[in-house]
């Protein structure tokens, strides 16, 4: 909750990204090499100052910061989530959510989790 609020994000949104990215496993590693709860790529993690992506508070802090960057860049939650998943270059290239099945499914999944988790936190 602390990392979400520090980045001006709703805790339910950060929880939804974590659920979609790693299913709450701090030791998760994707086929592409993304690591930790919020599945940060090593280069992205380093750029965010995350020294140990498997250390939950660091990972969530870095991932929340990156998600905030994407929200500020796109001003739209769906495009920000697409950029979090596929990278901002893909969102820029397609001027919106890229036509990748994985990214389209990811955005839908995070938004569904987000709606479901909103009741988990006091407003």
């Amino acid at each position: 909750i602390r990392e979400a609020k520090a980045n001006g994000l709703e805790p339910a949104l950060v929880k939804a990204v974590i659920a979609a990215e790693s299913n709450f496993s701090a030791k998760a590693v994707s086929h592409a090499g993304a690591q930790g709860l919020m599945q940060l790529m090593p280069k992205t993690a380093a750029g965010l100052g995350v020294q140990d992506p498997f250390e939950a508070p660091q990972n969530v802090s870095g991932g929340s910061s990156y998600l905030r960057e994407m929200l500020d860049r796109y001003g739209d939650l769906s495009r920000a989530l697409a950029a979090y998943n596929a990278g901002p270059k893909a969102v820029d290239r397609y001027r919106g959510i890229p036509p990748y099945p994985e990214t389209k499914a990811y955005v839908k999944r995070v938004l569904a989790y987000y709606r479901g988790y909103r009741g988990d936190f006091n407003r």
Side-chain angles (χ1 to χ4, degrees):
I1 294 176
R2 182 175 53 248
E3 290 84 359
K5 290 185 176 182
N7 286 286
L9 301 171
E10 286 185 58
L13 177 59
V14 174
K15 184 177 180 180
V17 170
I18 291 169
E21 288 287 352
S22 69
N23 196 28
F24 304 102
S25 173
K27 299 297 181 194
V29 178
S30 77
H31 63 86
Q35 303 170 326
L37 286 170
M38 294 188 78
Q39 291 290 280
L40 300 174
M41 292 299 286
K43 186 175 178 182
T44 301
L48 294 165
V50 175
Q51 295 176 340
D52 181 358
F54 297 108
E55 202 266 320
Q58 280 187 55
N59 186 285
V60 175
S61 178
S64 295
S65 177
Y66 187 65
L67 183 56
R68 175 82 263 163
E69 282 181 41
M70 296 302 101
L71 279 165
D72 290 345
R73 179 171 178 163
Y74 295 105
D76 172 85
L77 181 55
S78 293
R79 287 187 298 154
L81 291 170
Y84 192 96
N85 176 260
K89 288 181 183 174
V91 173
D92 292 346
R93 184 176 328 122
Y94 290 101
R95 296 182 183 165
I97 298 172
Y100 313 145
E102 176 190 334
T103 300
K104 288 177 165 184
Y106 172 83
V107 171
K108 285 182 183 177
R109 189 167 57 252
V110 173
L111 292 174
Y113 286 147
Y114 179 38
R115 284 190 295 275
Y117 292 146
R118 285 183 122 165
D120 291 355
F121 300 92
N122 294 331
R123 303 233 168 176

